[in-house]
Amino acid sequence: MKHSEGLEWAIHSCSLLAALPPGTCLPSKLLAEFFDLPEAYLAKQMQKLSQAGIVETRRGPRGGYGLARPSADITLLQMVEAIDGDAQHFRCTEIRRCGPTGVANRHYTRPCGIARSLWKAEAAWREELNKVNLADINRMGQAETPPEQIAKALKWFQEKLAGA
Amino acid sequence: MKHSEGLEWAIHSCSLLAALPPGTCLPSKLLAEFFDLPEAYLAKQMQKLSQAGIVETRRGPRGGYGLARPSADITLLQMVEAIDGDAQHFRCTEIRRCGPTGVANRHYTRPCGIARSLWKAEAAWREELNKVNLADINRMGQAETPPEQIAKALKWFQEKLAGA
């Protein structure tokens, strides 16, 4: 069981947008350059975030992707579900009803204990992801990013955005 | 993000072994017949459970797969990890260090807040799976299986195992 490869890229891109002055938009080309990622595949992740209403596209010479709402209103769960989907991890196919000893469907009144237990664990996972929002992630990022990198990034963005 | 398709089969097979008299062994052919599953693919799941030390093979005319230890000592987490592996769901590739603003590795002293938050949610999921054991699952199964099915299953196994 694992996350899509693009999840790391998507969350880091959102975190970067949250760290820049409000209203800043970045085209996926610049995001890809910043993280040294293949642009076409990163663009797919940004489209997924856009479809989920987490980022939005703004047009024009300073256009690109921007956060669609305040970072405190974007949870980690929302970003994970935007990229990986919101389907349950365990898909129960009701094999208990199959085979030579299965009985009529009306005798099975609720999901079996196996499915319930697996879904309960998934719920605990979602609950934990729901406790963290993009503002939290941004705060951790600001506190932990090496000061040298913050200085380099500020300079890099000033040059790039001035040249746009 | 989802479980392997074979997880449902593996847990139901273990649950069935836990429900039968202690020491009962079932060949994968009979397990496949009971649940109406493709034998070759179910056999693969049983091999994974065997490699994880959850079931063991016994030889002879009444041989097959049996639980390798008491059902109370087999957790749902152990079964999930036997089938899906125990790798972390989120694989952090440290993209924060990449690109034109990355700095020397020594400046990054611990995993970033994004990885830590995703791993914390995974830990909550594992913790929940670790609370449930096969004896619990068996109790739920015994209480919830339609009595008609229990009767049919007992008869079916008696005939099958007598004919072995």
Side-chain angles (χ1 to χ4, degrees):
Chain A
M1 209 160 86
K2 60 189 176 87
H3 291 291
S4 309
E5 194 195 6
L7 181 66
E8 182 183 15
W9 307 1
I11 303 177
H12 273 280
S13 295
C14 287
S15 175
L16 177 59
L17 290 171
L20 293 171
T24 306
C25 290
L26 297 177
S28 52
K29 187 175 181 301
L30 210 61
L31 284 166
E33 207 179 327
F34 183 78
F35 290 116
D36 195 17
L37 296 173
E39 188 192 338
Y41 193 52
L42 177 62
K44 276 190 191 154
Q45 315 309 318
M46 298 310 293
Q47 280 158 21
K48 286 185 182 182
L49 291 171
S50 174
Q51 279 155 16
I54 292 170
V55 300
E56 60 189 15
T57 324
R58 280 165 230 149
R59 303 195 175 186
R62 286 181 179 274
Y65 285 106
L67 295 180
R69 50 182 193 270
S71 57
D73 297 341
I74 297 169
T75 68
L76 191 50
L77 180 61
Q78 287 163 353
M79 291 184 279
V80 168
E81 290 190 341
I83 302 300
D84 285 342
D86 61 1
Q88 281 170 317
H89 307 166
F90 178 66
R91 198 174 71 89
C92 170
T93 67
E94 288 284 347
I95 65 167
R96 62 179 173 163
R97 306 187 190 198
C98 303
T101 74
V103 294
N105 280 341
R106 65 187 155 80
H107 292 294
Y108 304 94
T109 50
R110 63 170 184 162
C112 82
I114 295 172
R116 295 202 310 275
S117 302
L118 289 167
W119 287 333
K120 195 177 170 197
E122 288 182 36
W125 171 78
R126 283 194 188 84
E127 199 181 311
E128 208 60 47
L129 291 178
N130 206 32
K131 285 181 193 163
V132 184
N133 65 47
L134 189 54
D136 300 323
I137 287 174
N138 186 33
R139 263 191 300 276
M140 291 188 270
Q142 300 274 2
E144 296 168 6
T145 302
E148 296 85 339
Q149 182 163 28
I150 292 180
K152 275 174 88 173
L154 279 173
K155 190 161 172 282
W156 192 82
F157 275 113
Q158 274 163 0
E159 288 173 9
K160 284 286 170 180
L161 294 172
Chain B
M1 209 161 83
K2 60 191 176 87
H3 291 291
S4 308
E5 195 194 4
L7 182 66
E8 181 182 15
W9 309 1
I11 303 177
H12 273 280
S13 295
C14 287
S15 175
L16 177 58
L17 290 171
L20 293 171
T24 306
C25 289
L26 297 177
S28 52
K29 187 175 180 302
L30 209 62
L31 284 167
E33 207 179 326
F34 183 78
F35 290 118
D36 195 18
L37 296 172
E39 188 192 338
Y41 193 52
L42 177 61
K44 275 191 191 153
Q45 314 311 316
M46 298 310 294
Q47 280 159 21
K48 286 185 181 180
L49 291 170
S50 174
Q51 279 155 16
I54 292 170
V55 299
E56 60 189 15
T57 324
R58 282 166 228 148
R59 301 193 176 189
R62 286 180 178 274
Y65 285 106
L67 295 180
R69 49 181 193 270
S71 57
D73 296 341
I74 298 170
T75 68
L76 191 51
L77 180 62
Q78 288 162 353
M79 291 184 279
V80 167
E81 291 190 341
I83 302 300
D84 285 341
D86 61 1
Q88 281 170 317
H89 307 166
F90 179 65
R91 198 173 71 90
C92 170
T93 66
E94 288 283 349
I95 66 168
R96 63 179 172 164
R97 305 187 191 197
C98 302
T101 74
V103 295
N105 281 340
R106 66 187 156 81
H107 292 295
Y108 304 94
T109 50
R110 63 170 183 162
C112 82
I114 294 173
R116 295 203 311 275
S117 302
L118 290 168
W119 288 331
K120 194 177 170 196
E122 288 182 35
W125 171 78
R126 284 193 187 84
E127 198 181 312
E128 207 60 47
L129 291 178
N130 207 32
K131 285 180 192 164
V132 184
N133 64 47
L134 189 53
D136 301 323
I137 287 174
N138 186 34
R139 264 191 299 276
M140 291 188 268
Q142 301 273 4
E144 296 168 5
T145 302
E148 296 85 338
Q149 183 164 27
I150 292 180
K152 276 174 88 174
L154 280 174
K155 190 161 171 285
W156 191 83
F157 276 113
Q158 274 164 359
E159 287 173 11
K160 284 286 170 182
L161 294 173

